[in-house]
Amino acid sequence: MLLALTRKLVVMAFKCPPEVLLRNSILRGQPNHLTAVTVSTGVPKHYKVAVCSELGKPLNIETRPRVEELSQGQVRVAIHNAAVNFADILTCAGKYQEKPELPFVPGAEFSGEVTELGEDVTSLRVGDRVLGLCMPGAEGSYAQERILPEISLYQVPSSLDYRGAAALMVSYCTAWMALKRKAKLKEGETILITSAAGAVGLAAVDLAANVFNAKVIAACGSPEKGAIVKQKGAHTVIDYRTESVKGRVKEITDGHGADVIFDAVGGDVFKDCLRCVAFEGRILVIGFASGDIPRIPANVLLVKSCSVIGLYWGSYSMRDPLAFKESVNGVLQLVKEKKISPHISRAFPLSQVNEAFQFVMSRKSVGKVVLDIASDASLNA
């Protein structure tokens, strides 16, 4: 039974369906007459999306025809908010490991309201607040609506608004899986978190301090960001610009080093991490915000008996769907218990998606940046 469930998850999980406007008439062998397609009164025939038509160029707002009929197990969601992740920006620049064919609609995380159900959908009702992901290979979340399989959607906890729900999954589930499954962080251990004011870094601070009860050393780039990181639970903050990461970690830990290091920067920062990890410590490789992928000297791993562990959380949706779902459910439960909460530094309307990208790239953001879609009146002009 478990094997069958796993196969079903692998096949169905997080794939936005193809747009088949005249599916039923085709199956019945009837001629396709576009004029015969009708829509319920008051329901628009089109919706707006942000489209990447050329790599490295600004996104454009375009109109798409609305899919009129849902297939079995599908759910139509009116998107309220979508998150802006650094991976989205890299994808639109052609610098991410996932390279969709042009043109494409970017975006992964979203929150919204269920507006229509296909046959055999049992876990959701019209009007439910949901969050989810559009995975690589599917049209993204920078859109007014999306059609997704029921299995890819999760109910939003009552303590979260739509913005918070859109900002939750990627950052917090990545951090949760890294700390729990990969590093096996223990209560009382010391953890160094780099890029601690970033989306995934701040989520790691929140979880490490408030769930795992670890001693958190957070590294970030300004006193202003450091103040927010401390509010999330960091015990000590290191300012990259004025302090040595290696020297401060050694000082704070009395020479012991950090038991766990959560690094999303790479480059020279990773090299400092390798120099200040404790004996039998664990270094988590989460990303390379610096743009510099470091080379790891294996002799240092040998001398320190330490481990370097990589994590690409998104790949678990296809490679290990049960572990993926466990991470989402684990984070949602912590939200319900009010132990964690995402931090949103700014929201932009979808029509200003390019300004949102610039804001993130300028390193002005702390935590998450989101797009307001349902409230963007310009999309309906």
Side-chain angles (χ1 to χ4, degrees), residues 199-265:
V200 69
L202 198 58
V205 170
D206 198 3
L207 285 163
N210 301 313
V211 176
F212 291 87
N213 296 314
K215 182 179 180 181
V216 177
I217 303 172
C220 57
S222 73
E224 295 77 17
K225 290 181 177 181
I228 296 175
V229 168
K230 272 208 161 186
Q231 289 175 7
K232 274 295 180 187
H235 296 81
T236 309
V237 174
I238 299 173
D239 188 336
Y240 291 125
R241 300 179 307 174
T242 59
E243 299 178 287
S244 161
V245 173
K246 173 192 172 184
R248 286 289 287 129
V249 169
K250 290 288 189 180
E251 178 186 343
I252 293 164
T253 62
D254 294 326
H256 175 77
D259 301 300
V260 174
I261 298 178
F262 184 101
D263 180 47
V265 178

Side-chain angles (χ1 to χ4, degrees), residues 22 24-33:
L22 302 176
N24 280 355
S25 64
I26 292 171
L27 290 176
R28 290 194 296 265
Q30 298 175 359
N32 302 332
H33 299 300

Side-chain angles (χ1 to χ4, degrees), residues 87-283:
D88 302 333
I89 299 172
L90 291 177
T91 300
C92 291
K95 298 178 180 180
Y96 196 58
Q97 56 257 34
E98 305 288 350
K99 301 184 184 301
E101 292 185 11
L102 294 169
F104 65 89
V105 178
E109 293 174 283
F110 65 86
S111 63
E113 179 183 347
V114 173
T115 59
E116 187 180 351
L117 303 173
E119 293 182 6
D120 297 331
V121 174
T122 59
S123 65
L124 297 169
R125 295 182 180 181
V126 171
D128 281 351
R129 300 190 314 139
V130 294
L131 57 84
L133 293 179
C134 292
M135 297 305 291
E139 289 278 60
S141 60
Y142 293 3
Q144 286 183 306
E145 71 169 49
R146 275 289 165 252
I147 296 173
L148 301 108
E150 174 188 16
I151 198 170
S152 71
L153 298 170
Y154 299 83
Q155 300 250 12
V156 175
S158 59
S159 59
L160 278 183
D161 60 12
Y162 280 115
R163 285 180 175 177
L168 186 71
M169 282 185 71
V170 170
S171 299
Y172 274 86
C173 293
T174 296
W176 187 93
M177 184 176 281
L179 301 180
K180 184 177 180 66
R181 181 185 178 94
K182 295 293 186 176
K184 297 178 173 58
L185 181 63
K186 301 179 183 68
E187 182 174 354
E189 285 192 311
T190 297
I191 179 171
L192 167 66
I193 299 172
T194 67
S195 190
V200 69
L202 198 58
V205 170
D206 198 3
L207 285 163
N210 301 313
V211 176
F212 291 87
N213 296 314
K215 182 179 180 181
V216 177
I217 303 172
C220 57
S222 73
E224 295 77 17
K225 290 181 177 181
I228 296 175
V229 168
K230 272 208 161 186
Q231 289 175 7
K232 274 295 180 187
H235 296 81
T236 309
V237 174
I238 299 173
D239 188 336
Y240 291 125
R241 300 179 307 174
T242 59
E243 299 178 287
S244 161
V245 173
K246 173 192 172 184
R248 286 289 287 129
V249 169
K250 290 288 189 180
E251 178 186 343
I252 293 164
T253 62
D254 294 326
H256 175 77
D259 301 300
V260 174
I261 298 178
F262 184 101
D263 180 47
V265 178
D268 290 337
V269 171
F270 179 86
K271 294 175 184 176
D272 278 348
C273 292
L274 201 56
R275 296 186 184 102
C276 65
V277 68
F279 179 76
E280 290 193 330
R282 295 90 76 196
I283 302 177

Side-chain angles (χ1 to χ4, degrees), residues 261-264 270 283-288 294 296 308-312:
I261 298 178
F262 184 101
D263 180 47
F270 179 86
I283 302 177
L284 295 158
V285 177
I286 305 301
F288 312 103
I296 302 172
V308 177
I309 309 165
L311 174 63
Y312 174 27

